[in-house]
Amino acid sequence: MLNAVNGVMPQMSRCYEQRARRVPITGAVTVQWRVGLNGRPVGLEVSPQLSTIGDRWMQRCVKNAANRMHFDPPPARISEQLTRSFSFNQ
């Protein structure tokens, strides 16, 4: 999982850098998803209950970046729900 997450961190950093130029923003965006049989996120959504950044633009940008993650396909076609928070601070 670490390689998949690390692979999109530059894109997420760009999301933060672009938004922080316009609006003071700190906190975390939390996303939840399952890994599909092809190794791509399925049903990836931002969790408003777990996110401390309520900025819609930032949430959408992080979601778009997270949808680019690629994992090893799950064994035996079993996929569990995954949750990950991405923190951003000035």
Side-chain angles (χ1 to χ4, degrees):
M1 182 163 120
L2 191 57
N3 285 339
V5 171
N6 285 342
V8 298
M9 287 308 295
Q11 294 164 332
M12 291 194 185
S13 292
R14 280 192 295 279
C15 291
Y16 174 73
E17 290 164 6
Q18 287 178 350
R19 194 60 174 163
R21 281 187 220 129
R22 297 179 181 197
V23 187
I25 194 166
T26 60
V29 175
T30 302
V31 294
Q32 297 177 314
W33 72 94
R34 293 185 180 283
V35 177
L37 296 178
N38 62 357
R40 293 289 189 195
V42 174
L44 190 140
E45 293 295 332
V46 170
S47 172
Q49 300 86 358
L50 300 175
S51 296
T52 58
I53 294 177
D55 184 87
R56 297 282 230 195
W57 187 94
M58 184 67 181
Q59 290 178 354
R60 189 171 35 256
C61 192
V62 168
K63 179 180 176 180
N64 289 341
N67 265 318
R68 293 183 184 105
M69 292 186 289
H70 192 280
F71 301 88
D72 291 332
R77 299 179 187 234
I78 298 171
S79 181
E80 64 186 65
Q81 180 80 23
L82 301 172
T83 302
R84 176 77 157 83
S85 290
F86 298 94
S87 297
F88 305 93
N89 297 303
Q90 290 183 327

